[in-house]
Amino acid sequence: MIVTLIVICEVGFWVLLAAGLATRYLLKMPRAGLALLLCEPLLEVLLLAVTAIDLENGAEPSWRHGLAAVYIGYTVGHGHRTVKWLDGHAAHRLGGGPPPVKPPQYGMARARHEGKVWLGSVTAAAVASGLLLLAIWYVGDAGDTQSLKGWIGVAWRAAGIHGLIALSYAIWPRKAPKEEPETSLPSRDRDRV
């Protein structure tokens, strides 16, 4: 049941996102669209409540409960940026707004951008760990909580791997391509020279 609810929450996230953006930009109802977008966190609250009720009813803590905590953590850590990114694209394509600002591609500016994205993964791991620790405390000695403890490690390993990738942008920053020198030849003749 928990895994099915995670899938429903993920599908619901994208359905609410599409409905909110369509309402904002196609139907020209920005407040109603914002209200739909603000309903998205309710999906995670629902998942959290169902997971807690499942544990309260005596379910043995399992990988499903851990996955629910990691999913909620990921949504907290990265959901806002995803919504903001898609809102910028919808505003441009559907609402006639300016094109969204692209992240930097080169140098330390790209490294800073990747560092900010990595902080989302750290937030996700921290939220997931907090939820898992609460579940472990709630279950107490009544059940085997090893699978929940294992998910804490999974969350921090994912954040660590993402951190190494983000750090690589600082250690080996991409350099901007050099611009071609101006010539008086037309572009079709440059290859012949």
Side-chain angles (χ1 to χ4, degrees):
M1 180 173 106
I2 299 292
V3 175
T4 304
L5 188 58
I6 292 171
V7 171
I8 289 170
C9 286
E10 181 65 15
V11 171
F13 173 83
W14 292 105
V15 167
L16 278 174
L17 183 59
L21 294 175
T23 303
R24 282 182 92 167
Y25 298 111
L26 293 177
L27 300 178
K28 308 286 190 223
M29 300 170 63
R31 286 188 177 185
L34 181 61
L36 284 169
L37 292 174
L38 291 175
C39 287
E40 289 180 350
L42 296 177
L43 294 171
E44 279 66 40
V45 171
L46 172 69
L47 179 60
L48 181 62
V50 169
T51 304
I53 290 168
D54 192 42
L55 289 171
E56 181 182 351
N57 289 339
E60 189 69 28
S62 69
W63 65 271
R64 295 170 190 86
H65 301 98
L67 181 61
V70 170
Y71 175 80
I72 292 169
Y74 180 84
T75 303
V76 170
H78 293 288
H80 175 68
R81 186 177 45 264
T82 302
V83 171
K84 186 176 176 182
W85 180 78
L86 286 171
D87 185 50
H89 283 279
H92 172 61
R93 298 210 194 285
L94 304 175
V101 177
K102 292 183 178 181
Q105 296 296 311
Y106 307 106
M108 291 309 290
R110 178 62 184 221
R112 281 189 294 278
H113 170 75
E114 292 297 328
K116 289 177 185 175
V117 174
W118 172 70
L119 289 177
S121 293
V122 171
T123 301
V127 168
S129 296
L131 291 173
L132 289 164
L133 288 171
L134 280 172
I136 291 166
W137 171 78
Y138 182 73
V139 171
D141 294 334
D144 181 22
T145 58
Q146 277 309 112
S147 65
L148 298 179
K149 291 175 185 173
W151 277 98
I152 294 173
V154 168
W156 286 106
R157 273 193 302 278
I161 291 167
H162 189 184
L164 291 174
I165 293 168
L167 184 62
S168 74
Y169 282 91
I171 295 173
W172 300 288
R174 285 182 61 194
K175 296 187 181 357
K178 294 182 181 180
E179 297 201 16
E180 292 184 21
E182 291 289 324
T183 66
S184 58
L185 295 174
S187 61
R188 68 178 190 280
D189 294 332
R190 286 185 194 161
D191 295 333
R192 296 181 189 165
V193 176

